[in-house]
Structures are given as C-alpha cells and as structure tokens.
C-alpha cells in the first residue's frame, strides 16, 4: 500500500448506540481500505481504552463497543459524554497509525468437493455462463480471494475476488436448508455456509472443513484481511477429511 | 441446589448479559431479551448481574425443587405459584425441596427470568453462558429446555447470597418484605419506545419519517429472539444507494426491501446491509424485550445525549439498589 493513500482517507465517526461508535473510513470496497481497517482494528486491540469490549470490522467501517459506565468514569478520556470520549480517543489513535503494512493476514486453503451431490447448482451456473463444469471448477479454484468481513452467521466470510465469468444471480427461490460447508456464489460474491441455514446462493460444492467451531480459540476459521484459496478435492479425499 | 424441568414451556433457555468478545467473528451478542428483569432477578438473590438466568417465554412451564432453593424471578411473561400459593416477584424466595413451581399466565409481556443463588451452572462458551440456538452452543447444550432436564446452581455462593439464604431458610416457603421495584426503573408509558436517529435516517422520505413517529407499528408473528418484524406504514426511501454491510446491534431498526421495518433483538446478526432508520434507546430496550406478536408500539424521538444520560442514570440507580441490598445483610 502507498504511504500516501492512508493519509488521504477522511474519517467519519458516528454513534451506533449508547454502547457503540462506528468509524467510517471510506465509501467503497477496496483492498486499500481493507488493509487500513485491518491495521486500525489491530491497533485498537493493542491499545484498548477503559471500558473497551471489542471492535467489529466491515467493508468500510470499524465499530467499537464499550461499557459506557467505564468510559464516562475514565479520567484519561477527555470529553463531555461517551461519544466524545470514544471518538476523541479514536482520532488520537488514528494519528499514530503507521503507514506500514502491519498485518498481512493469513492465506488459508479450503478444500472443496465440487459438483455432484455437494454442488447441486454447478450445472446451472455452468450453463448460464456457457462454460463446462470443469471450467467453473478451474475458475473458482484458481483465484485468490480476500476476506473483507465476517457477518450474517458465525464464521461467514464476505469474500471478494470472484472471477467475473462466474458472477451468477441468487436462486429465484431460496433453499430452506443449505448444509454447513456448502460453497456458493451470489452475484459477484462467493462464500461458504458455516452452519446449516436457509440460503439463496448457487451451491457449487462443499468443504469438509469446519468454518466455525465454538470450541476453537479462534472459532471462525477466517477473519477480515485473510486470503483464501479453494482447492478442488475428490469424494474419497472429502470423506477422509470429514472423518478427521 | 437443583431443579428438574417438568414442563419446559414454549421456549426456555439460559441467558446472561451476552457474548461480547466475538462479534467480529459473526457471533451474536445474545443474552437476555429483557436485561433489566434478568439483572433484578440476579440482584434479588445476591448474584452478580451477569450470572446465568433462565429465560422463560410466556407461561405453562413447571419445575420441581429437587433441593432447597434460593431463587428469584422478574419479568412480565408469567407469575410463579407453588400449589395455591402466589410467589412474589423481584425478591428472594426460599423454596423447600419437593416444591413444584408453576408459571402461570401474565398477559403483560413475554419473558420471565429465574435466577438462583450462585447462578445456573453451565460451561462458558466463548466467554458467556447464553444459549445461541442457531449455532447450537451455549446454555444447556445449545438448546431450549426439555422435560426431564436437571439444572444445577454454581458454587460457591457470594457472601451476600449466603446471608440471604441464612435469613430465610426453614421448612416452608419464605421471603422477605423488601423487593426491587423494577417498575420504578421503567418509563410509565410502556408502549412508547424512544429512539435516536439511525445513521441512514436521512435516506427516507419526509412523509415516511412523519409516519414513523406518529403511527403505531405492530409486531408480526415473524418475531423472535433475532428480531421483530414490524407491520405499519411503509417507509419509503429517497436515497436508493446500496448500503455496504456494516455493524448493527440490538435495538437497531432496519428498513428492509419493500419498506418494512425490522427491530433487531438479542440474537441479531452482527452486521447488516439494510439502511438503519433508528436506534432504540438502551433504557427502552428491556421494554422491547417484553413485547409479543400483536403488540403495537409508537416511536418517540430522543437525542443521543439524552439517551446516554438516561442510560447512565439508570445504571447509577441499579448500582445503588445493589448497595442497599448489601447494606441489609452485610
């Protein structure tokens, strides 16, 4: 990232609730903004203010949540009310953000068994784009994706980087149940369902990997800023990994 | 201390003040829908506010005291009785082993919270004992109660809980004269919900904003712990930009496609992509936690500053109540 691009960003700070403040870093999705938000998220975690609970990154925002009683009682945070105290802190902390690549995120490979019973919509996706099924698999598994944010359900990653050739509208009628691990396409997005939920994405495969596991120290496999690569596996390998 | 669930009721789960530290991984806050009642029930038995409580939905639940109990309840979903005897809310109740306690109808609201001295004993998952049914974790095996479930209290008791128990114990149901007057902590007009302007407040037609503040909205049947679908005047947009998904929180009112509104509640998603017309003042969120399908509410404006001030005053009041109870026993 260019050193100047961070300094160019103007912050907008707004109150989300009595217990939350949102910092808006820009208006459009970009990898630069993702890097900036990821860096700032890390900086806030390393420098928590009194009463700070947690921060939630999204496409263009980072929201911080806190205990208003602790914030208002804090003498080290100047301001008339919690919003002033927290936004003042955020602005001062932002001024210390180094123009360096602090966090590169991890690259995570997700094995996917494409098509067949795991990818009921892959034929539809292929025919919409006039592609062979193998070509759909090749295009989907040869790109590197960026995780912009986690939301919707625990461990669900909003990823960018889908090849335009695969962009496909959602299904006209959502399924009442999509299995955990289902890999789907919706518009220009691709993603993996961490839990069995209703869903309208075009399902092209399934991973045996647990995208979310409440017993892990980091329950969500992915976090904002990570890179993802999908690797095509066959059914025996799927079964082998699923049995682990 | 432990109880056995004889009739589970419509939806009974364990909840605490929520799961605060995993929002960035998409894990909802969860926790009690009416946090005020949950805290009152905990305070009444000498627990910390964050101890796990049972959240009952409506009435028709029944449990048996397998041991002597020190419990309390608060909320508007039901009243508790033991046989013919009415049990008063918002104060500690000593219940001797063998008693059968029933939740009977109280049409005022939807949720009732049952605390036990020490708190209900379930493992902490991701820093909380709250049940999150969608992902099947937290509380009792991540699920609502079933008949036959046995729930234990955690050890040890706080010094205060031990003193309250000592003052009441015996062979019969007993309770003190004092109670925690929850009504005094709530506004008198309970169907007027105060809201702050949401971040996208200016995205809507001015006539829709007038409707929002002057016409009633009714909870539809599609209302649950994640959120309430509101029926009423359609909210029309002037700005049709797509909102990039960003953080939302309980109390956020989103305007979905078609102009209908959803009021997000305890189990809501951590992020959302619908424009946010308003945010319910934190002091009025416990009132929302008692609403049920068919209830109508009116939205009234409040400034961010006033909402924060009321919140901090409410917390101060609750803090003083805790001290007052301690002063009785310690």
């Amino acid at each position: 990232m260019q050193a100047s691009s961070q300094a160019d960003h103007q912050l907008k700070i707004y109150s989300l609730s009595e217990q939350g403040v949102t910092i808006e870093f820009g208006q459009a999705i970009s990898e630069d903004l993702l890097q900036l938000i990821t860096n700032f998220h890390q900086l806030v975690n390393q420098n928590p203010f009194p009463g700070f609970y947690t921060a939630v990154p999204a496409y263009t925002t980072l929201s911080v949540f806190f205990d208003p009683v602790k914030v208002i009682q804090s003498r080290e945070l100047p301001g008339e009310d919690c919003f002033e105290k927290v936004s003042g802190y955020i602005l001062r902390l932002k001024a210390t953000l180094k123009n360096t690549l602090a966090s590169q995120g991890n690259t995570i490979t997700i094995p996917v068994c494409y098509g067949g019973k795991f990818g009921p919509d892959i034929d539809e996706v292929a025919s919409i784009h006039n592609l062979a099924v193998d070509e759909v698999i090749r295009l989907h598994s040869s790109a590197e994706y960026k995780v912009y944010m986690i939301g919707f359900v625990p461990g669900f990653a909003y990823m960018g980087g889908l090849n335009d050739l695969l962009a496909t509208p959602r299904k006209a009628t959502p399924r009442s149940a999509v299995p955990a691990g289902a890999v789907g396409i919706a518009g220009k997005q691709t993603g993996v369902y961490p839990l069995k939920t209703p869903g309208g994405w075009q399902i092209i495969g399934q991973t045996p990997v647990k995208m979310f596991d409440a017993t892990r120290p980091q329950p969500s496999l992915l976090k904002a800023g990570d890179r993802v690569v999908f690797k095509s596996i066959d059914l025996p390998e799927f079964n082998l990994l699923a049995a682990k | 201390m432990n109880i056995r669930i004889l009739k589970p009721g419509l939806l009974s789960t364990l909840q605490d003040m929520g799961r605060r530290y995993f929002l960035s991984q998409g894990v909802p806050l969860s926790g009690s829908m009416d946090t005020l009642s949950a805290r009152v029930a905990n305070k009444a038995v000498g627990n910390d506010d964050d101890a796990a409580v049972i959240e009952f939905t409506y009435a028709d639940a029944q449990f048996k005291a397998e041991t002597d109990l020190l419990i309390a309840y608060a909320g508007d979903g039901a009243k508790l009785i033991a046989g013919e005897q009415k049990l008063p809310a918002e104060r500690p109740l000593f219940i001797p082993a063998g008693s059968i306690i029933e939740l009977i109808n109280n049409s005022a609201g939807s949720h009732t919270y049952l605390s036990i001295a020490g708190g209900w004993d379930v493992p902490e998952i991701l820093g909380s004992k709250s049940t999150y049914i969608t992902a099947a974790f937290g509380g009792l095996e991540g699920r609502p109660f079933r008949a036959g479930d046995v729930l234990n209290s955690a050890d040890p008791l706080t010094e205060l809980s031990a003193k309250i128990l000592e003052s009441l114990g015996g062979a019969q149901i007993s309770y003190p004269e004092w109670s925690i007057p929850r009504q005094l902590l709530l506004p008198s007009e309970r169907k007027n919900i105060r809201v702050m302007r949401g971040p996208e407040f200016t995205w809507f037609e001015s006539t829709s904003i007038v409707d929002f503040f002057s016409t009633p909205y009714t909870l539809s049947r599609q209302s649950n712990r994640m959120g309430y679908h509101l029926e009423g005047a359609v909210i029309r947009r002037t700005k049709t930009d797509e909102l990039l998904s960003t953080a939302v929180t309980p109390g956020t009112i989103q305007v979905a496609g078609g102009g209908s509104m959803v009021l997000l509640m305890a189990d809501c998603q951590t992020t959302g992509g619908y424009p946010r017309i308003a945010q319910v003042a934190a002091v009025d969120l416990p009132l929302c936690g008692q609403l049920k399908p068919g209830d109508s509410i009116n939205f009234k404006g409040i400034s961010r500053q006033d909402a924060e001030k009321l919140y901090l005053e409410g917390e101060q009041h609750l803090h003083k109540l805790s001290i007052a109870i301690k002063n009785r026993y310690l």
Side-chain angles (χ1 to χ4, degrees), chain A residues 174-184 193-201 203 205-206:
Chain A
R175 288 188 170 86
S176 58
V178 174
V183 177
Y193 284 83
L195 311 171
K196 182 180 157 192
T197 48
W201 291 33
I203 305 302
Q206 189 169 323

Side-chain angles (χ1 to χ4, degrees), chain A residues 156-168:
Chain A
F156 183 85
Y158 289 83
M159 288 187 267
L162 182 70
N163 192 307
D164 285 341
L165 289 171
L166 293 180
T168 316

Side-chain angles (χ1 to χ4, degrees), chain A residues 14 18 54 61 82-83 155 220, chain B residues 20 25 246 276 282 304 308:
Chain A
Y14 61 80
E18 292 87 334
T54 196
T61 59
C82 291
F83 179 69
S220 174
Chain B
R20 298 188 178 281
Q25 298 185 41
T246 181
R276 300 157 291 178
R304 173 182 65 73
E308 183 184 310

Side-chain angles (χ1 to χ4, degrees), chain B residues 132-207:
Chain B
Y132 177 51
I133 292 172
T134 306
F137 64 75
L140 190 67
E141 300 165 359
R143 61 167 175 84
F145 296 173
R146 298 193 282 248
D149 284 337
V150 172
L151 289 132
N152 295 291
S153 68
D155 294 322
L157 300 189
T158 63
E159 196 188 349
L160 177 57
S161 298
K163 291 276 189 191
I164 297 173
L165 183 59
E166 195 183 299
S167 74
L168 293 175
Q172 287 179 346
I173 291 173
S174 64
Y175 44 82
E177 285 300 308
W178 63 269
S179 68
I180 303 174
R182 180 172 60 101
Q183 297 302 329
L184 297 182
L185 294 158
L186 291 169
S188 50
E189 187 39 78
R190 299 185 52 174
K191 294 294 155 79
N192 283 347
I193 303 298
R194 289 166 290 186
V195 297
M196 298 172 277
R197 292 177 170 203
E200 288 76 49
F201 184 80
T202 57
W203 287 29
F204 303 97
E205 279 186 10
S206 53
T207 52

Side-chain angles (χ1 to χ4, degrees), chain A residues 1 10 39 47 63 74 83 109 113 121 134 154 172 199 229:
Chain A
M1 176 186 286
Q10 286 299 310
N39 290 354
N47 300 276
S63 299
S74 163
F83 179 69
T109 300
C113 185
D121 301 324
D134 282 353
V229 175

Side-chain angles (χ1 to χ4, degrees), chain A residues 85-115:
Chain A
K85 282 170 175 275
V86 172
S87 19
Y89 174 85
I90 293 295
L91 288 170
R92 286 192 302 281
L93 191 62
K94 174 66 171 58
T96 72
L97 186 61
K98 301 280 190 298
N99 292 329
T100 50
L101 280 174
S103 160
Q104 272 285 8
N106 303 314
T107 299
I108 289 154
T109 300
I110 298 178
V112 179
C113 185
Y114 289 98

